[in-house]
């Protein structure tokens, strides 16, 4: 019995070690394990194109029913997964130890999350969204309707199948290749909490859209209307965790990926919707295949030297250097930008300098130490839309001149020197004239 217990603990330890070995790494951000929770395992086949694209890019997917009693995000204080996909919009309660607090803790630990809702979204999914600054329409029977930008079909329908093409203009979020075809969307809309500055619209509804129950007449103005309706939004937390919220689970389905699309009022017909390209690109961003930065080889020294000093003197000329790279999905590539700044900081910035780049990832700033002594910091606080933030700080003291380091004659004091010597000469002349004149 004792041998059996030891063997069980040994096997559990080995399993945990293997899980942690494949966890998120700053050196390889896409070597990751993802838990996929679904309402019905049939989604593995109905959304297989999206899942296969993740697996083809090296992700390990673990599919479970959302009410599985064995669901667990962490064991022995260590997270078992690096990403979570919630394709279970109707779930009222997760299985195992998973709840809203556990999911928020998962994100707070720097992990990533994709949440897809639909017209039957439960209060559980809505609460998760609300905690992240996403407010789905309070009317649980409401869906997004658009009589101006609906997808043309053989049957007239109720115009709840939307052809959306109002994308955010950001290469880091949606890739450098333009999404030509509209994205098919059928689901619920949401608004962004104005108090949350970390939320961004990625796909917005058209000005003619509104959120309402398509089976009943409007008795009052809809709570959500026009371009204020967000169809897909993203959140990048301050710890660089990333979240995607979609009001449509069908947006990721094989049916929508393969469907032809024509937007009402447009003569352009596309053999394939933009859903697959959109879903692939936004998944690359949320799982850190793009827009993930790292800073290495942070150093500083006096101009003309290479060794890093332990202290600077006021008015020294110095150089601050840092190398910044971006993960391309398979390797680290030099990050090129013209807006990286360094601060020389003590209570407030005494120097704020934009760094120059050699287009190979190296950033350099040269400046003179201010004529103030104390304990300073080199600080780089870099935040750019869609990119992980960089926060670098390095402390360094600055001393005044020693008594023997001042100049022997200060040029600015020459007028005082002249005044002193001219006074002595005038006194000598006056004394000579006074004593020897008759």
């Amino acid at each position: 019995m004792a041998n059996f217990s030891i063997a069980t603990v040994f096997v559990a330890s080995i399993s945990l070690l293997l899980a942690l070995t494949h966890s998120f790494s700053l050196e390889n951000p896409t070597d990751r394990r993802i838990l996929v929770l679904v309402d019905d395992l049939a989604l593995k086949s109905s959304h297989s194109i999206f899942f296969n694209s993740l697996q083809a890019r090296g992700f390990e997917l673990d599919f479970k029913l959302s009410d599985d009693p064995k669901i667990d995000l962490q064991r022995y204080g260590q997270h078992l997964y690096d990403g979570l996909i919630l394709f279970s919009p109707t779930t009222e309660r997760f299985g195992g130890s998973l709840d809203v607090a556990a999911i928020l803790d998962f994100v707070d630990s720097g992990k990533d999350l994709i949440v897809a809702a639909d017209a039957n979204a439960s209060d559980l999914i809505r609460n998760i969204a609300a905690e992240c600054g996403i407010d789905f329409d309070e009317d649980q029977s409401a869906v997004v309707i658009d009589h101006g930008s609906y997808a043309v079909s053989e049957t007239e329908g109720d115009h709840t199948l939307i052809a959306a093409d109002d994308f955010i203009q950001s290469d880091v979020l949606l890739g450098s290749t333009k999404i030509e075809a509209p994205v098919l969307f059928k689901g619920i809309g949401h608004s962004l909490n104005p108090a949350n500055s970390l939320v961004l619209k990625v796909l917005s509804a058209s000005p003619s859209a509104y959120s309402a129950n398509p089976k009943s007449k409007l008795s009052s103005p809809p709570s959500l209307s026009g371009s204020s309706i967000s169809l897909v939004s993203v959140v990048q937390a301050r710890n660089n965790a990333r979240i995607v919220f979609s009001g449509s689970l069908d947006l990721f389905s094989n049916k929508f990926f393969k469907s032809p699309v024509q937007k009402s009022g447009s003569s352009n017909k596309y053999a394939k919707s933009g859903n697959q390209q959109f879903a692939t690109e936004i998944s690359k961003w949320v799982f850190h295949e793009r827009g993930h930065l790292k800073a290495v080889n942070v150093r500083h020294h006096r101009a003309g030297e290479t060794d890093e000093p332990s202290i600077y003197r006021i008015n020294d000329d110095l150089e601050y250097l840092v190398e910044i790279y971006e993960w391309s999905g398979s390797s680290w590539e030099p990050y090129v930008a013209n807006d990286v700044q360094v601060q020389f900081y003590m209570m407030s910035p005494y120097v704020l300098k934009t760094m120059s780049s050699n287009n190979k990832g190296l950033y350099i700033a040269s400046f003179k130490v201010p004529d103030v002594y104390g304990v300073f910091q080199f600080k780089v606080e870099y935040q750019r839309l869609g990119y992980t933030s960089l926060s670098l700080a390095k402390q360094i003291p600055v001393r005044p001149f020693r008594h023997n380091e001042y100049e022997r004659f200060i040029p600015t004091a020459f007028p005082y020197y002249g005044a002193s010597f001219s006074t002595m000469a005038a006194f000598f002349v006056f004394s000579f004239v006074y004593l020897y004149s008759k």
Side-chain angles (χ1 to χ4, degrees):
M1 186 69 177
N3 291 336
F4 176 75
S5 300
I6 294 173
T8 303
V9 172
F10 178 76
V11 171
S13 301
I14 293 297
S15 301
L16 179 60
L17 180 62
L18 290 173
L20 296 178
T21 302
H22 293 286
S23 64
F24 179 81
S25 166
L26 286 176
E27 291 304 316
N28 190 5
T30 54
D31 184 14
R32 295 150 67 90
R33 301 180 71 247
I34 299 174
L35 175 62
V36 183
L37 298 184
V38 296
D39 288 331
D40 187 342
L41 288 176
L43 261 73
K44 287 180 66 175
S45 57
S46 64
H47 292 62
S48 61
I49 296 177
F50 175 68
F51 294 134
N52 289 340
S53 72
L54 291 175
Q55 292 172 326
R57 303 202 306 267
F59 293 94
E60 180 184 343
L61 304 184
D62 185 8
F63 292 90
K64 290 185 178 182
L65 289 172
S66 57
D67 57 356
D68 189 328
K70 296 182 180 179
I71 294 176
D72 201 358
L73 292 179
Q74 57 178 313
R75 187 180 300 157
Y76 306 124
Q78 298 291 334
H79 287 286
L80 302 177
Y81 303 96
D82 301 288
L84 175 62
I85 297 177
L86 297 181
F87 278 5
S88 51
T90 61
T91 298
E92 294 290 347
R93 184 175 182 179
F94 293 118
S97 61
L98 191 63
D99 55 15
V100 174
I103 291 175
L104 296 178
D105 179 69
F106 186 73
V107 173
D108 287 341
S109 64
K111 311 303 181 181
D112 305 316
L113 173 66
I114 296 179
V115 180
D118 63 13
N120 300 313
S122 65
D123 289 338
L124 178 63
I125 297 299
R126 293 172 182 269
N127 290 339
I128 294 172
E131 291 289 342
C132 298
I134 303 292
D135 297 321
F136 285 112
D137 196 329
E138 294 180 357
D139 184 355
Q140 298 198 7
S141 62
V143 296
V144 180
I145 304 170
D146 195 334
H147 300 303
S149 297
Y150 60 90
V152 176
S153 60
E154 295 179 357
T155 58
E156 182 64 21
D158 51 10
H159 298 166
T160 56
L161 179 60
I162 296 170
D165 56 6
D166 188 3
F167 306 105
I168 188 173
Q169 301 301 310
S170 173
D171 289 348
V172 68
L173 284 167
L174 296 181
S176 56
T177 303
K178 183 180 179 182
I179 302 175
E180 299 290 346
V183 169
L184 292 174
F185 180 95
K186 187 179 182 68
I188 58 177
H190 59 268
S191 60
L192 309 186
N193 188 333
N196 191 333
S197 60
L198 305 176
V199 189
L200 290 172
K201 290 182 185 177
V202 175
L203 181 62
S204 302
S206 73
S208 58
Y210 63 95
S211 179
N213 185 345
K215 298 180 181 179
S216 61
K217 292 184 178 181
L218 282 174
S219 57
S220 59
S223 58
L224 295 177
S225 62
S227 299
S228 64
I229 300 176
S230 181
L231 307 178
V232 180
S233 298
V234 298
V235 181
Q236 178 159 285
R238 291 183 176 88
N239 63 354
N240 290 327
R242 291 173 171 176
I243 311 172
V244 171
F245 285 97
S246 170
S248 171
L249 179 58
D250 290 335
L251 186 150
F252 300 92
S253 67
N254 297 352
K255 178 182 177 181
F256 278 22
F257 278 13
K258 296 178 180 179
S259 293
V261 61
Q262 180 183 2
K263 186 177 179 178
S264 63
S266 173
S267 60
N268 296 327
K269 296 181 180 180
Y270 299 91
K272 184 179 177 182
S273 71
N275 289 55
Q276 184 173 355
Q277 183 182 356
F278 176 81
T280 300
E281 296 299 336
I282 201 66
S283 69
K284 286 181 179 180
W285 177 83
V286 73
F287 292 130
H288 292 261
E289 293 176 80
R290 189 169 50 236
H292 185 94
L293 303 180
K294 75 169 181 178
V296 296
N297 295 333
V298 181
R299 57 200 186 275
H300 57 86
H301 53 74
R302 292 187 178 90
E305 300 180 5
T306 56
D307 295 333
E308 185 173 305
S310 60
I311 191 169
Y312 283 105
R313 189 186 67 183
I314 59 174
N315 296 331
D316 275 349
D317 292 313
L318 63 83
E319 292 181 347
Y320 178 85
L321 305 90
V322 61
E323 296 177 28
I324 302 177
Y325 297 94
E326 179 184 1
W327 182 252
S328 66
S330 58
S331 63
W332 291 102
E333 303 294 338
Y335 176 67
V336 180
N338 58 2
D339 58 353
V340 181
Q341 295 182 323
V342 61
Q343 303 176 44
F344 201 54
Y345 188 95
M346 183 176 68
M347 304 297 287
S348 61
Y350 279 77
V351 176
L352 178 60
K353 185 88 172 181
T354 299
M355 306 182 74
S356 58
S357 171
N358 65 350
N359 295 328
K360 296 181 180 179
L362 178 63
Y363 290 81
I364 305 174
S366 302
F367 58 91
K368 186 183 288 291
V369 176
D371 194 4
V372 178
Y373 58 88
V375 179
F376 282 81
Q377 278 188 329
F378 293 102
K379 293 182 70 172
V380 175
E381 297 287 347
Y382 187 68
Q383 296 179 347
R384 190 174 181 181
L385 176 68
Y387 289 92
T388 54
S389 59
L390 294 176
S391 181
L392 309 174
K394 206 165 189 179
Q395 189 168 285
I396 190 76
V398 174
R399 65 172 177 83
F401 286 108
R402 296 191 183 98
H403 71 281
N404 60 351
E405 290 179 328
Y406 287 99
E407 297 181 27
R408 180 62 64 183
F409 296 101
I410 303 175
T412 54
F414 283 169
Y416 301 97
Y417 300 153
S420 299
F421 286 112
S422 63
T423 301
M424 288 189 289
F427 181 77
F428 177 78
V429 172
F430 172 77
S431 300
F432 181 82
V433 172
Y434 182 79
L435 293 174
Y436 297 99
S437 63
K438 293 183 181 179

